[in-house]
């Protein structure tokens, strides 16, 4: 019971470390902020050894007549970015794999790396393609940051379109991003924002 408030704080896991196989987390800090903005009370019931239940209270909408929606294709199914190559630097293996699979489903060639040295090593391989864009997580292992990764990659490839990827919404992250002239994509990902970023990358290649 004494930890109920702590689990809604960013980057907190109770009694366990972070590493491969630890999962992606529940995103409770994001849920808590969203519920606060919408004025939807958030509830937690938890018993040690039995489990936890999260719930929220939302107002009922007014009853409206049912209508049969017309079949339509999901917009995301038409999103293609064939020919682009994106370097992904993400220390969380599960998150890195999920992002890579999403990009690959859009026809993107992905170079995956868990840290900056691995990324630089991959880029110097004779058969390695030059990335058209970079997605770098802000918080990497051993105190490293995405800003440091971006600066190292820039020294190798020159300037290229970049987004910092982070679940943190602190002023520090925003200040660091502005300092190096990079915008931020927040976790959890909005596929539309990622799609628009890649669209701008492709447009820039053709001009």
């Amino acid at each position: 019971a004494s930890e109920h408030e702590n689990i809604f704080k960013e980057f907190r896991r109770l009694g366990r470390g972070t590493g491969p196989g630890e999962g992606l987390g529940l995103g409770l800090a994001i849920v808590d902020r969203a519920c606060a903005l919408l004025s939807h009370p958030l509830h937690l019931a938890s018993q040690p050894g039995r489990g936890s239940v999260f719930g929220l209270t939302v107002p009922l909408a007014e009853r409206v007549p049912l209508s049969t929606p017309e079949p339509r294709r999901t917009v995301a199914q038409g999103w293609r970015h064939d020919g682009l190559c994106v370097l992904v630097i993400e220390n969380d293996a599960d998150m890195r794999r999920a992002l890579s699979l999403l990009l690959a489903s859009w026809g993107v060639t992905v170079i995956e790396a868990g840290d900056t040295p691995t990324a630089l090593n991959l880029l110097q391989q004779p058969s390695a393609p030059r990335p058209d864009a970079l997605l770098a997580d802000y918080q990497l292992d051993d105190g490293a940051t995405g800003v440091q990764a971006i600066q190292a990659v820039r020294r190798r490839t020159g300037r290229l379109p970049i987004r910092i990827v982070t679940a943190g919404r602190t002023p520090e992250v925003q200040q660091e991003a502005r300092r190096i002239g990079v915008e931020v994509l927040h976790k959890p990902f909005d596929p539309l924002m990622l799609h628009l970023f890649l669209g701008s990358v492709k447009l820039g290649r053709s001009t």
Side-chain angles (χ1 to χ4, degrees):
S2 63
E3 299 284 5
H4 282 193
E5 292 186 6
N6 289 330
I7 61 173
F8 290 95
K9 297 177 181 178
E10 292 183 342
F11 310 116
R12 290 295 298 270
R13 296 187 181 187
L14 305 184
R16 303 184 68 182
T18 58
E22 292 290 343
L24 301 180
L26 298 178
L28 293 178
I30 298 171
V31 172
D32 191 35
R33 285 196 297 269
C35 288
L37 289 171
L38 295 169
S39 298
H40 295 342
L42 181 61
H43 314 283
L44 165 61
S46 181
Q47 294 185 27
R50 298 194 62 181
S52 302
V53 175
F54 300 89
L56 55 92
T57 302
V58 299
L60 292 175
E62 295 182 4
R63 186 181 299 275
V64 296
L66 294 177
S67 60
T68 304
E70 296 182 2
R72 64 178 183 177
R73 187 178 65 165
T74 303
V75 174
Q77 292 176 350
W79 294 349
R80 300 294 301 177
H81 297 285
D82 301 273
L84 288 184
C85 177
V86 175
L87 171 61
V88 174
I89 303 178
E90 166 65 66
N91 62 318
D92 186 305
D94 293 328
M95 181 65 73
R96 183 171 68 247
R97 189 58 182 154
L99 178 55
S100 297
L101 288 173
L102 174 62
L103 292 171
S105 72
W106 293 348
V108 176
T109 299
V110 183
I111 303 174
E112 297 183 40
D115 52 40
T116 304
T118 301
L120 297 178
N121 182 60
L122 291 172
L123 291 176
Q124 71 181 6
Q125 299 301 315
S127 59
R130 184 187 186 279
D132 299 296
L134 166 62
L135 298 173
D137 185 29
Y138 182 75
Q139 289 189 316
L140 301 174
D141 290 336
D142 301 322
T145 69
V147 170
Q148 296 167 334
I150 289 168
Q151 293 170 329
V153 171
R154 278 176 169 172
R155 288 192 291 268
R156 179 64 56 86
T157 65
R159 298 189 71 86
L160 72 165
I162 296 171
R163 289 292 184 269
I164 289 177
V165 180
T166 180
R169 298 171 184 265
T170 63
E172 176 191 3
V173 174
Q174 298 295 336
Q175 290 169 5
E176 283 290 279
R178 285 195 295 269
R179 182 174 66 83
I180 62 172
V182 173
E183 294 185 27
V184 173
L185 282 178
H186 288 110
K187 298 177 184 176
F189 273 111
D190 182 344
L192 175 60
M193 300 306 295
L194 183 58
H195 161 66
L196 293 175
F197 168 60
L198 295 179
S200 68
V201 173
K202 200 165 188 178
L203 182 62
R205 285 202 333 174
S206 61
T207 57

